[in-house]
Amino acid sequence: MSIFELTIAGAAKALAAGSVSAVELVTAYNGAVAELNPRLNAYITVTPELALEQAKAADARIAAGDATPLTGIPLAIKDLFCTEGVRTTAASKILEPFIPQYESTVSGKLKAAGAVMLGKANLDEFAMGSSNATSGYGPVENPWKRAGSDARLVPGGSSGGSAAAVAARMALGATGTDTGGSIRQPAAFTGLAGIKPTYGRCSRYGIIAFASSLDQAGPMARNVEDCALLLNAMAGFDTKDSTSADRVVPDFAAAVERGVKGLRIGIPAEYRMDGTNPEIVALWEKGIEWLKDAGAEIVDISLPHTKYGLAVYYIVAPAEASSNLARYDGVRFGARVDGVDLIDMYERTRAAGFGAEVKRRIMIGTYVLSHGYYDAYYLKAQKVRNLILRDFTDVFAKVDAILTPTAPSAAFGLGEKMDDPVTMYLNDVFTVPASLAGVPAMSVPAGLSAEGLPLGLQVIGRHFDEETVFAVSAAIEKAAGFTPLPELRAK
Ligand code: GLN
């Protein structure tokens, strides 16, 4: 069996049994990165020497009997997480050069667990996008291909580098961040599992901010169990993030085994949207049958404000982004383009440093926050956001989890949807409501499209009930028995 066939759980067992060393595992993954990254562009920065050093330390820790399930496991870290001493870009030229002097809490926790960092994964600039095409460091290619076609496809976004890295076996798992779907949609596009935990479950400290009331870190991996192992290490209260929740972190890996017998699963009528690809609707129906067969009770539910989700998201997220990105002024971080005076320097720096999508969001954000429009847009959006949250609260009095599709289509071609931002934003139609409500949601690979591309189903849970999300996702994973692999991968 090839070393690349091991999952995180499998590799942890092999490491514990001594049948493979961390140095062997990491050397193989460093090799896969060297071979495939020039083609796929999943990493912006690779750190093979650092990875090898960390692998040696992991072997010593395993020998000393002090290992965690992640000790010696090679990971990709999305390049939105600040990593001490390692260049961090947010895929934006405006940060070039930026070498953080501190580590984000989440990547620091993974480090403390003994995980190994292979490099910093590519993303849409400042995590704004659904295709990875807005990266200032070039697009990422999806390792999957349509059957009989060589066309280059997007891996989804914004955590598309993380997704491509794990799918192509250039990492065993990855960190992502999800503001409106950036973990779930790329996971669906690349045949992976990925969870956006409850807002507040993982610390945002040291994650470059996009929209602070929505941003959440989470794991992406080959299966549900691996995501649970990663989230166990990533989650937890942090005094450095005032929105981090002071809650006990349960054993997520144990929840994977729970089963769904007796659980009530809600099927929201509003997610049956006109024009959704019939393949996706059919897969959703299959998912419903699988859960029924596994002993769950299916309940028809209504989330009446779903139709406002995208509009609310694309007001709230740009508003927060315009404020968060005000700090990139050529003074404190990264790039500077000199001008005749201070204002001119700000303007030249921001004009040169930000890409088109980021500029669009800043303009929308400042507009909806401006005097005279604040009430009509931002305040209204906040009110509707509250109604969306109330929809979920009402429904979760009746059901334990909700099942929906993850995305309205399979992976699309590189360059498609780029000239029409609204079509691009439609990618997020199924993922943004859970983000606005702050509830946990996971995408799990459930089948292939007629063209041979992976499709995902989404499981949404109550606040801080990731355990049920894991249990339901694992039941779908088991029933789906999704085993296909992408064309481009380390073998
Ligand atoms: N695609 C969404 C956007 O462009 C979500 C991005 C994200 O979750 N970071 O804003």
Side-chain angles (χ1 to χ4, degrees):
M1 180 177 128
S2 152
I3 202 165
F4 295 108
E5 275 162 53
L6 292 170
T7 58
I8 292 178
K13 273 196 202 109
L15 287 165
S19 54
V20 67
S21 71
V23 166
E24 282 167 342
L25 188 64
V26 168
T27 303
Y29 272 91
N30 274 342
V33 173
E35 180 199 332
L36 290 163
N37 200 52
R39 162 85 192 248
L40 298 177
N41 201 26
Y43 290 94
I44 291 174
T45 304
V46 294
T47 53
E49 292 93 10
L50 175 69
L52 207 54
E53 236 172 75
Q54 291 178 334
K56 284 181 193 153
D59 278 330
R61 197 164 159 182
I62 293 164
D66 176 32
T68 81
L70 296 182
T71 306
I73 301 296
L75 303 178
I77 303 295
K78 185 176 183 177
D79 206 13
L80 201 61
F81 292 80
C82 287
T83 41
E84 189 181 351
V86 177
R87 177 175 77 147
T88 299
T89 69
S92 182
K93 290 293 181 193
I94 207 157
L95 270 170
E96 186 68 34
F98 173 54
I99 298 178
Q101 291 167 11
Y102 65 100
E103 186 83 24
S104 82
T105 296
V106 164
S107 56
K109 277 171 168 282
L110 289 168
K111 232 189 206 179
V116 170
M117 181 172 88
L118 295 165
K120 303 294 297 286
N122 205 344
L123 65 152
D124 281 296
E125 186 178 1
F126 284 106
M128 297 174 191
S130 307
S131 68
N132 239 277
T134 74
S135 169
Y137 292 82
V140 177
E141 182 178 352
N142 192 328
W144 289 81
K145 300 262 163 220
R146 290 183 184 122
S149 156
D150 211 30
R152 283 150 44 102
L153 304 178
V154 304
S158 65
S159 312
S162 300
V166 179
R169 296 171 160 184
M170 300 156 75
L172 259 173
T175 63
T177 64
D178 191 311
T179 303
S182 278
I183 288 175
R184 292 162 282 162
Q185 183 252 24
F189 277 18
T190 54
L192 301 178
I195 181 168
K196 177 199 88 73
T198 311
Y199 182 80
R201 181 61 97 181
C202 290
S203 169
R204 290 183 295 110
Y205 178 77
I207 300 174
I208 294 172
F210 163 12
S212 305
S213 77
L214 295 157
D215 298 344
Q216 250 308 282
M220 306 170 77
R222 293 197 201 140
N223 62 26
V224 175
E225 181 187 23
D226 283 2
C227 282
L229 292 171
L230 286 167
L231 187 58
N232 266 330
M234 294 163 70
F237 178 57
D238 181 9
T239 50
K240 295 199 206 106
D241 170 6
S242 62
T243 60
S244 134
D246 193 358
R247 291 258 188 164
V248 181
V249 178
D251 183 348
F252 297 126
V256 170
E257 306 294 328
R258 270 189 196 172
V260 297
K261 231 175 228 115
L263 289 185
R264 289 158 304 170
I265 308 293
I267 309 299
E270 292 78 7
Y271 281 61
R272 288 182 202 283
M273 292 174 189
D274 283 347
T276 305
N277 183 339
E279 286 187 326
I280 306 247
V281 179
L283 186 74
W284 191 17
E285 297 296 338
K286 250 195 208 165
I288 295 171
E289 287 310 311
W290 290 332
L291 291 179
K292 224 189 261 175
D293 292 346
E297 185 193 332
I298 303 298
V299 184
D300 286 325
I301 57 165
S302 170
L303 297 165
H305 297 91
T306 301
K307 59 175 176 295
Y308 303 118
L310 272 183
V312 169
Y313 175 84
Y314 279 98
I315 291 171
V316 172
E320 293 183 16
S322 72
S323 161
N324 274 326
L325 271 56
R327 74 190 71 181
Y328 305 106
D329 56 5
V331 178
R332 281 164 293 185
F333 309 90
R336 168 185 297 189
V337 181
D338 284 323
V340 294
D341 57 20
L342 186 64
I343 300 289
D344 191 43
M345 186 278 286
Y346 288 160
E347 288 176 356
R348 284 172 192 266
T349 299
R350 289 166 68 84
F354 289 135
E357 182 62 23
V358 172
K359 285 178 186 157
R360 180 180 299 130
R361 307 261 181 137
I362 291 173
M363 284 193 284
I364 295 171
T366 45
Y367 179 80
V368 300
L369 290 174
S370 59
H371 183 73
Y373 293 104
Y374 182 90
D375 290 4
Y377 292 102
Y378 187 68
L379 203 61
K380 186 63 122 315
Q382 291 291 37
K383 288 178 181 168
V384 183
R385 179 178 186 177
N386 211 33
L387 294 174
I388 291 172
L389 169 61
R390 207 189 295 164
D391 280 357
F392 280 101
T393 317
D394 288 349
V395 150
F396 280 129
K398 289 176 272 184
V399 299
D400 301 295
I402 297 169
L403 182 73
T404 77
T406 305
S409 75
F412 47 90
L414 216 61
E416 274 173 38
K417 310 194 189 205
M418 285 307 281
D419 35 0
D420 180 6
V422 174
T423 318
M424 189 65 96
Y425 298 168
L426 281 174
N427 268 289
D428 310 322
V429 65
F430 296 137
T431 49
V432 291
S435 299
L436 291 164
V439 290
M442 180 160 209
S443 181
V444 55
L448 287 181
S449 72
E451 294 180 318
L453 295 176
L455 298 172
L457 288 175
Q458 177 178 233
V459 178
I460 307 174
R462 294 188 179 101
H463 286 108
F464 296 104
D465 187 15
E466 288 86 359
E467 289 167 281
T468 301
V469 173
F470 278 122
V472 176
S473 301
I476 292 170
E477 178 177 64
K478 197 164 153 201
F482 184 89
T483 51
L485 292 167
E487 183 59 34
L488 294 165
R489 65 176 199 277
K491 290 176 190 151

